Amino acid sequence: RAVAHPLAAEFDRLRDYLELMSIRMGARLHFTLELPDDLRDTLVPPLLLQPLVENSIRHGLEPQVEGGEIVVRARRESHAGNGKPQIVIEVSDTGVGLGSAQPTEGGGFGLAQVRERLTTMYGTRGGIEITAAAGGGTRAVVNFPI
């Protein structure tokens, strides 16, 4: 078991998973994956993003008759507190959204696993935030130092 692998490998796994789900959901699922070339070799914990995408499908898109879209986007930005570079990865969907339920600190099993992977690799320097997306849906933002 590897403790980390390139972000490109994480995005490759997401593409495979989403293509498989596209067969199942058909025209109800649209997705976009955006990974800048300069971040492809950045090491990340394995299976960091797939639980977030699975949640988007299961809790966001599947309950909607028309389905929706998932966008996974990675970018580099400066940490607001110390100006050091960090990676920000956003998983957003156009699903049913959070409604009145806000995720608890632990969340479900998938969110707990993501939090654990971030804490193991980055301590308090990494984190995840789940919010209602503007215009509907849900947005998960993961950040950690480069």
Side-chain angles (χ1 to χ4, degrees), residues 41-108:
D41 294 328
T42 303
L43 296 179
V44 299
L47 291 174
L48 180 66
L49 302 175
Q50 186 166 331
L52 302 176
V53 171
E54 288 175 358
N55 280 349
S56 286
I57 290 174
R58 182 173 179 209
H59 302 294
L61 302 185
E62 282 185 337
Q64 292 188 138
V65 172
E66 69 276 12
E69 180 179 18
I70 295 174
V71 177
V72 182
R73 179 179 292 126
R75 67 183 181 275
R76 176 190 311 255
E77 57 182 50
S78 294
H79 186 274
N82 61 21
K84 293 185 178 180
Q86 69 174 358
I87 291 188
V88 176
I89 305 170
E90 181 179 324
V91 177
S92 58
D93 67 63
T94 60
V96 296
L98 296 172
S100 61
Q102 291 294 320
T104 62
E105 181 59 32

Side-chain angles (χ1 to χ4, degrees), residues 92-141:
S92 58
D93 67 63
T94 60
V96 296
L98 296 172
S100 61
Q102 291 294 320
T104 62
E105 181 59 32
F109 180 76
L111 286 178
Q113 291 299 306
V114 170
R115 283 189 175 95
E116 182 179 316
R117 287 182 182 105
L118 287 168
T119 300
T120 298
M121 194 152 178
Y122 307 107
T124 58
R125 299 173 303 143
I128 181 172
E129 182 180 4
I130 312 291
T131 59
T138 303
R139 183 174 174 249
V141 179

